[in-house]
Amino acid sequence: MTATPRKPRSSRSGRATMADVAAAAGVSAMTVSRALRRPDTVSEEVRARVEEASRRLGFVPSRVASALASARTMTVAVLIPSLTNAVFIDLLAGVQETLSPQGYQPLIGITGYGPEAEERVLRTQLAHDPDGVILSGLDHTPGTWELLRGLTIPVVHTMDLMAEGAHDDCPVQTVGFSQFEAGYAVGAHLAARGRRRIGLIAGQLDPRTRQRCDGWRQALRDAGRHDPALELMVPDATSVALGAELLERALATHPDTDALFLCNDDLAQGALFQCARLGIPVPERLAVAGFNDLAGAAWTVPPLTTVATPRRAIGVEAARLLIAGMADRTPKDRENPRRVDLGFRLMVRETT
């Protein structure tokens, strides 16, 4: 009596398993593992058979099994405030394009600009045992700092720079630029243009926005032109529509305003549209400056003066630091944390 060949077992999800691929390719499961993870350790002929069998069966390697075998999950927790803000989309693009060739995948968590929400998201992400963490900003709850102190995986903070001596009990790696200095550059530029009544419009009011506002204030104080009455700050999420609305409100309250710093480009673009609608000449009657140099800033009418921030480069550099730390498998970032300042550029165009 001829025995019926045993059918390879499928996974609980119904997907093909490594044993299925091994049977189809006529090799052992160990050989399949080597061919997929370290193809240089098997012959070209074996590798081709394994790849063909994997494609035919639709085999997807199990992350769980790989993690158990290597003590790695090949994932990185990436926490950002928003998926609708182009600033963080650009940062994510830099992270992804750097992690992907190394075999890492980002686990994206959205915090909604809230430190408490960030702590909840981080706890959830850490339950998946990521090999590293990328965070946005430095405005964390005590609970988040406690979590970070206990980690042995590398962590990189982005979009900001840690002040010297801050959080010595939890050395921090940062990649970003000085929001304060960038705001100062805008204020100093408007004052140097001879503007006397220089106003501020800001939304969202997250810590980074507040820092650039602080820099703007200091520049105007240094020029002897700061008037707190010309500041209009609201907690609403920034948008073109909000910029148009706040421009009209600011000028209705203080019609002698001759320059405005709007703390995000979408606000500044809305202000420019409203100026065109109301017949307010820019920059002759009113100078307008934005922040971030988002897509379209150079194509407004007139082209917008703004601050170019290195969002994608920050994502790339943060991912590089993380990859180096994950490769070492030692918390060297705690021994000698890096503080990488990628700077900013004041893009002087025709609105000032």
Side-chain angles (χ1 to χ4, degrees):
M1 182 175 180
T2 303
T4 302
R6 186 177 68 178
K7 183 180 180 180
R9 292 176 295 174
S10 62
S11 66
R12 282 171 37 179
S13 66
R15 300 196 317 250
T17 66
M18 193 172 291
D20 296 330
V21 176
V27 296
S28 69
M30 182 66 73
T31 299
V32 172
S33 177
R34 289 204 309 272
L36 295 176
R37 291 172 56 81
R38 299 183 57 196
D40 57 312
T41 63
V42 301
S43 70
E44 188 171 334
E45 185 266 335
V46 167
R47 183 168 67 250
R49 279 162 40 202
V50 169
E51 289 176 351
E52 191 280 329
S54 296
R55 283 194 299 270
R56 178 159 45 86
L57 296 174
F59 173 65
V60 179
S62 167
R63 284 280 186 189
V64 174
S66 297
L68 290 173
S70 65
R72 293 177 186 267
T73 62
M74 302 305 292
T75 61
V76 168
V78 183
L79 276 63
I80 59 173
S82 169
L83 272 177
T84 60
N85 187 328
V87 169
F88 298 105
I89 297 299
D90 290 345
L91 184 146
L92 272 180
V95 169
Q96 171 66 22
E97 71 185 38
T98 309
L99 290 179
S100 184
Q102 304 300 318
Y104 289 97
Q105 289 296 322
L107 298 175
I108 301 170
I110 310 302
T111 67
Y113 295 93
E116 291 76 17
E118 179 190 59
E119 180 181 343
R120 292 193 297 271
V121 174
L122 179 60
R123 289 183 184 277
T124 300
Q125 298 288 53
L126 291 177
H128 295 280
D129 293 323
D131 297 318
V133 177
I134 294 176
L135 298 171
S136 300
L138 295 158
D139 181 39
H140 307 315
T141 64
T144 293
W145 284 115
E146 189 63 32
L147 285 173
L148 297 177
R149 275 190 287 271
L151 294 180
T152 57
I153 56 176
V155 178
V156 180
H157 294 71
T158 62
M159 300 304 294
D160 209 341
L161 296 173
M162 178 65 79
E164 299 292 344
H167 288 283
D168 285 338
D169 60 336
C170 181
V172 173
Q173 293 203 109
T174 54
V175 180
F177 63 96
S178 172
Q179 302 276 347
F180 181 93
E181 291 178 8
Y184 189 101
V186 177
H189 169 71
L190 293 173
R193 284 290 208 245
R195 303 292 171 161
R196 309 298 302 181
R197 299 286 288 165
I198 304 171
L200 170 76
I201 291 178
Q204 194 65 63
L205 306 187
D206 60 85
R208 291 171 296 282
T209 297
R210 291 183 181 278
Q211 288 171 37
R212 68 187 70 138
C213 291
D214 288 343
W216 170 88
R217 288 188 192 98
Q218 188 59 54
L220 293 196
R221 290 190 188 106
D222 290 348
R225 299 180 195 175
H226 179 239
D227 183 351
L230 300 182
E231 296 184 17
L232 179 53
M233 302 177 69
V234 299
D236 311 58
T238 64
S239 67
V240 171
L242 183 65
E245 175 191 333
L246 295 182
L247 177 282
E248 195 162 4
R249 191 192 307 179
L251 293 184
T253 307
H254 298 284
D256 59 343
T257 300
D258 63 5
L260 280 171
F261 172 37
L262 296 102
C263 288
N264 285 288
D265 275 359
D266 51 359
L267 292 175
Q269 290 174 12
L272 287 178
F273 293 148
Q274 193 71 339
C275 283
R277 192 178 75 82
L278 297 174
I280 299 172
V282 176
E284 294 81 7
R285 161 67 182 82
L286 181 72
V288 175
F291 198 92
N292 275 319
D293 198 24
L294 299 181
W299 301 101
T300 57
V301 181
L304 179 65
T305 292
T306 184
V307 174
T309 56
R311 289 97 56 186
R312 183 182 290 264
I314 288 172
V316 169
E317 185 60 26
R320 285 176 179 165
L321 285 179
L322 213 60
I323 288 168
M326 294 185 297
D328 289 340
R329 295 205 180 196
T330 57
K332 289 185 178 178
D333 57 309
R334 304 304 178 89
E335 301 168 10
N336 186 29
R338 296 282 305 280
R339 183 177 184 270
V340 182
D341 185 351
L342 295 181
F344 59 88
R345 286 187 300 154
L346 179 63
M347 310 297 291
V348 178
R349 300 192 179 110
E350 295 175 28
T351 58
T352 58

